[in-house]
């Protein structure tokens, strides 16, 4: 019969408890607007304002972001002119749900080519630039990944 040294067992127990607490601790409940400011990072390849997303750039998005995350809200209609951060809103909401409240999210583009361009040119670089998302969503180049150009898992 093998025995475990008391010091080794104590260390093993301590490390196990620390890892369990770190992995089983619930994420803090954040509003969508808080989440985008904390976790969303824009890559230089997609915008002239690369770096962490700031609502001060588009303050009108705060209420729209939070309406999407409100469980009492059934429908959000966002009518806006061109170049008014609609894609920012769309990506922020989709990535919030991927990170905070995992659920299927469907992002629709008018054509397959536009969907591939959106995925490769905007979505994938944003995931790669955001550390929390990069750790969560496998790179498309990984053989074991279920992540493809048109499906992020």
């Amino acid at each position: 019969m093998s025995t475990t040294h008391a010091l080794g067992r104590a260390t093993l127990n301590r490390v196990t408890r620390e890892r369990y607490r770190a992995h089983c601790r619930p994420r803090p409940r954040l509003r969508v607007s808080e989440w985008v400011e904390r976790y969303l990072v824009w890559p230089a390849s997609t915008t002239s304002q690369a770096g962490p997303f700031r609502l001060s750039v588009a303050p009108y998005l705060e209420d729209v972001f939070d309406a999407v995350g409100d469980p009492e809200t059934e429908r959000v209609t966002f009518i806006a002119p061109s170049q008014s951060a609609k894609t920012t809103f769309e990506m922020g909401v989709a990535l919030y749900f991927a990170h905070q409240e995992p659920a299927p999210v469907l992002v629709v583009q008018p054509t397959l080519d536009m969907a591939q361009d959106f995925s490769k040119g905007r979505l994938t670089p944003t995931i790669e630039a955001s550390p929390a998302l990069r750790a969560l969503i496998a790179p498309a180049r990984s053989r074991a990944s279920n992540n493809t150009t048109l499906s992020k898992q």
Side-chain angles (χ1 to χ4, degrees), residues 94-124:
L95 295 171
Y96 165 83
F97 281 104
H99 185 252
Q100 290 289 298
E101 298 179 31
V105 175
L106 179 64
V107 178
V108 179
Q109 297 290 328
T111 67
L112 183 59
D113 287 341
M114 290 177 78
Q116 289 174 332
D117 289 346
F118 174 76
S119 178
K120 291 177 183 176
R122 302 286 302 268
L123 188 59
T124 299

Side-chain angles (χ1 to χ4, degrees), residues 35-147:
W35 182 88
V36 295
E37 285 208 309
R38 183 178 293 185
Y39 293 107
L40 197 59
V41 178
W42 296 128
S45 64
T46 65
T47 181
S48 60
Q49 298 178 353
F53 176 78
R54 295 291 168 242
L55 279 169
S56 58
V57 174
Y60 53 87
L61 287 178
E62 183 173 2
D63 291 335
V64 185
F65 273 134
D66 292 340
V68 170
D70 181 359
E72 299 294 315
T73 303
E74 292 183 19
R75 177 182 293 170
V76 175
T77 303
F78 186 21
I79 301 171
S82 63
Q83 300 298 310
S84 60
K86 293 182 297 296
T87 303
T88 297
F89 169 74
E90 180 180 73
M91 288 182 22
V93 169
L95 295 171
Y96 165 83
F97 281 104
H99 185 252
Q100 290 289 298
E101 298 179 31
V105 175
L106 179 64
V107 178
V108 179
Q109 297 290 328
T111 67
L112 183 59
D113 287 341
M114 290 177 78
Q116 289 174 332
D117 289 346
F118 174 76
S119 178
K120 291 177 183 176
R122 302 286 302 268
L123 188 59
T124 299
T126 302
I127 291 168
E128 290 171 353
S130 304
L133 298 169
R134 186 174 55 242
L136 183 68
I137 301 170
R141 61 190 162 272
S142 169
R143 283 184 179 258
S145 172
N146 289 331
N147 180 2

